[in-house]
Amino acid sequence: MTVAEGCRAARLPRARWRTRWAWRWDVFGRGRATLDALEYLVGGIGTGVLALAALLTVIVTALACLAGVGLPLMPAALRGLRAVADRERARLSRWHPDEIIAPPPPPAGLRAALADPPVRRELAWAVVHASTGILVGVLALTFPVHAVQDATFALWWWVLPAGDATAATYGMWEVSDLPSALAVAVLAPIEIALTMLLAPRMSRLQAWSGLRLLRPGPGVDLSLRVAQLTATRAAVLDAHLAELRRIERSLHDGTQSRLVAVDALIADALRALESDTAGDTATAMTSIERAQTTAEQALAELRGVVRSILPPVLTDKSLADALTGLAAACPVPCVVDAGPPVRAAASVEATAYFVVAEALANVARHSRARYAVVSVRHRDDRLCLRVVDDGRGGADESGPGLTGIRRRVEAHDGSFLLNSPDGGPTILNVTLPGPLQRSSRELDAAMAGPPRTPGRRSG
């Protein structure tokens, strides 16, 4: 066997392990997403019932206004609708990356309240969510309900009339004995697969009306944006000052102290050489050797400080190569799933590098995970990072590590989303504005223009 064949044979088990584990992880992640979607759909049915009650209250009050007795009750009915809409905003904010801010209270007067754009959008949302939202939620829940029913059908089929028992098979066969009742369980995996396929999509369909109609107006978004940028700027300045203090401590406590020791050792060596005796010469050689060792240590510490400022691997190689090095150094087995090698701005890649480094450090210290996956993708001029581990979950966003990650991401006007339920898995999603950059070779080729074809010289 040649060396190349031996290397390929050594890589095959690891590649197969990664493929098999990635498939299992995808099924596990899809199952978690399905359970989350079902929970979201159940909550949507609840808010749909509340929206239906609030809408009926508004309609009844409006009909009473025609008789002249409902005018004093209309502001209270609109405030009830606002309370239901605020409940839906809070629910959507828990599931959606962007928080939906509630508008200010509706005006006191009836005419001003009806002319208020948020009140009109809430009325439209109540009509859509009270009808379509409830219908979508009920349809989505029929699949898991039928799956449970078919899986346990053999335990209670005999209490049903003959016609009702046969209806459980959708008319495909008649249920008249235990074997035919046990065969109904074959339908349960199909219904579970349909649930895993349709539940996330139907949850997004149910949320569409709330995300479209319950968002605040552009004025509220602008004021919120200004406040967020102000807070982000203050956090960036604090993080910058903390980084400068860290570098100063690293240089003062490490490199500077070792350089002072080198200076003292060289001074001792010079004094020993001035005496020009055999014993002092040996002492001078010992001092010089110690000075050389200390200087090498100081150089190593200085390189470590430089790497913590901007890793050289990002300049020499791509972000995927740098993250692969981080994954190889992580105590927890880690797989890096990177897309095509596209470069982003240097500051964005450095932030992505430090985000993944801190995330993997948290995985190694706190998660008790067996595996971790780092995914890197470029979508619509944005760099998307995803770090997943199968640990115990329960990550605290207020911890210093995750707070540092959030501040780094917000400094680039990015998004930070952490999902870490008790029992795991922990999923960290980070999105950074990453305008794609072309390599220097591509830029030189573009500036040189189209390639010239050789031809004959004229005259």
Side-chain angles (χ1 to χ4, degrees):
M1 179 183 291
T2 63
V3 176
E5 292 174 350
C7 293
R8 285 195 296 270
R11 285 196 297 266
L12 278 176
R14 184 174 180 86
R16 291 172 182 169
W17 170 81
R18 288 184 178 180
T19 304
R20 181 168 61 251
W21 179 81
W23 180 82
R24 291 177 182 174
W25 182 265
D26 182 67
V27 172
F28 179 74
R30 186 174 289 274
R32 295 283 306 186
T34 303
L35 292 177
D36 292 341
L38 292 176
E39 181 183 355
Y40 179 85
L41 288 166
V42 171
I45 293 175
T47 55
V49 172
L50 293 177
L52 179 60
L55 183 62
L56 291 177
T57 302
V58 172
I59 293 175
V60 171
T61 306
L63 293 177
C65 290
L66 298 178
V69 296
L71 291 176
L73 300 177
M74 183 57 73
L78 294 178
R79 285 196 297 270
L81 177 62
R82 172 61 57 84
V84 175
D86 288 342
R87 189 178 184 86
E88 178 70 4
R89 290 186 180 97
R91 191 179 71 92
L92 292 175
S93 298
R94 289 195 301 269
W95 294 91
H96 199 264
D98 299 331
E99 183 180 3
I100 301 179
I101 305 300
L110 177 59
R111 182 173 298 180
L114 294 177
D116 191 23
V119 173
R120 293 182 178 181
R121 289 197 298 267
E122 288 168 356
L123 286 171
W125 165 81
V127 172
V128 176
H129 192 60
S131 55
T132 307
I134 296 177
L135 179 61
V136 169
V138 171
L139 289 177
L141 292 178
T142 56
F143 294 106
V145 170
H146 278 290
V148 175
Q149 172 185 315
D150 293 342
T152 61
F153 187 73
L155 302 177
W156 49 271
W157 70 275
W158 49 271
V159 301
L160 298 176
D164 294 342
T166 304
T169 65
Y170 302 100
M172 292 185 290
W173 67 84
E174 183 179 356
V175 178
S176 58
D177 51 9
L178 183 60
S180 60
L182 288 173
V184 178
V186 179
L187 301 175
I190 301 175
E191 291 160 343
I192 292 175
L194 289 175
T195 301
M196 298 177 68
L197 179 65
L198 298 177
R201 292 173 172 82
M202 298 186 79
S203 66
R204 289 193 292 269
L205 178 61
Q206 189 190 61
W208 176 84
S209 60
L211 295 175
R212 184 69 180 270
L213 297 172
L214 296 183
R215 291 184 179 277
V220 178
D221 285 341
L222 182 60
S223 60
L224 178 64
R225 183 66 176 159
V226 171
Q228 183 180 8
L229 289 177
T230 303
T232 302
R233 180 184 179 186
V236 168
L237 293 176
D238 293 340
H240 179 66
L241 181 59
E243 188 72 9
L244 290 179
R245 288 176 178 171
R246 184 191 65 80
I247 296 173
E248 187 271 335
R249 286 196 302 268
S250 299
L251 294 176
H252 180 273
D253 299 339
T255 308
Q256 181 178 343
S257 61
R258 294 190 184 278
L259 292 178
V260 171
V262 169
D263 181 67
L265 290 172
I266 293 177
D268 293 340
L270 290 175
R271 285 194 296 270
L273 290 175
E274 289 176 355
S275 62
D276 198 16
T277 61
D280 292 336
T281 302
T283 303
M285 291 300 298
T286 303
S287 299
I288 292 175
E289 291 175 355
R290 291 175 57 191
Q292 182 183 9
T293 303
T294 306
E296 291 174 353
Q297 294 174 352
L299 182 60
E301 291 181 353
L302 187 58
R303 287 173 177 169
V305 173
V306 171
R307 290 191 188 97
S308 66
I309 299 173
L310 183 63
V313 68
L314 291 176
T315 304
D316 302 334
K317 299 181 180 180
S318 65
L319 176 62
D321 296 329
L323 298 184
T324 302
L326 286 177
C330 182
V332 178
C334 183
V335 178
V336 176
D337 178 19
V342 181
R343 301 306 300 262
S347 59
V348 173
E349 290 191 346
T351 300
Y353 178 87
F354 287 120
V355 165
V356 175
E358 183 63 33
L360 292 182
N362 289 337
V363 170
R365 285 196 298 261
H366 308 297
S367 69
R368 299 179 184 174
R370 295 174 298 173
Y371 308 103
V373 178
V374 178
S375 301
V376 185
R377 292 291 185 272
H378 283 87
R379 298 189 183 95
D380 299 330
D381 287 347
R382 298 185 74 83
L383 180 64
C384 302
L385 299 173
R386 184 181 179 93
V387 182
V388 184
D389 68 80
D390 65 339
R392 58 181 180 177
D396 185 10
E397 287 194 44
S398 61
L402 292 176
T403 301
I405 291 178
R406 180 184 292 276
R407 288 180 177 178
R408 284 182 182 272
V409 172
E410 290 178 348
H412 285 276
D413 197 17
S415 63
F416 172 93
L417 180 62
L418 178 68
N419 184 16
S420 181
D422 291 334
T426 298
I427 303 175
L428 173 65
N429 289 300
V430 170
T431 304
L432 296 168
L436 305 185
Q437 293 184 345
R438 304 169 68 181
S439 62
S440 58
R441 184 178 301 176
E442 292 175 340
L443 291 176
D444 294 340
M447 294 179 64
R452 298 179 180 178
T453 56
R456 294 182 178 179
R457 294 183 179 179
S458 59

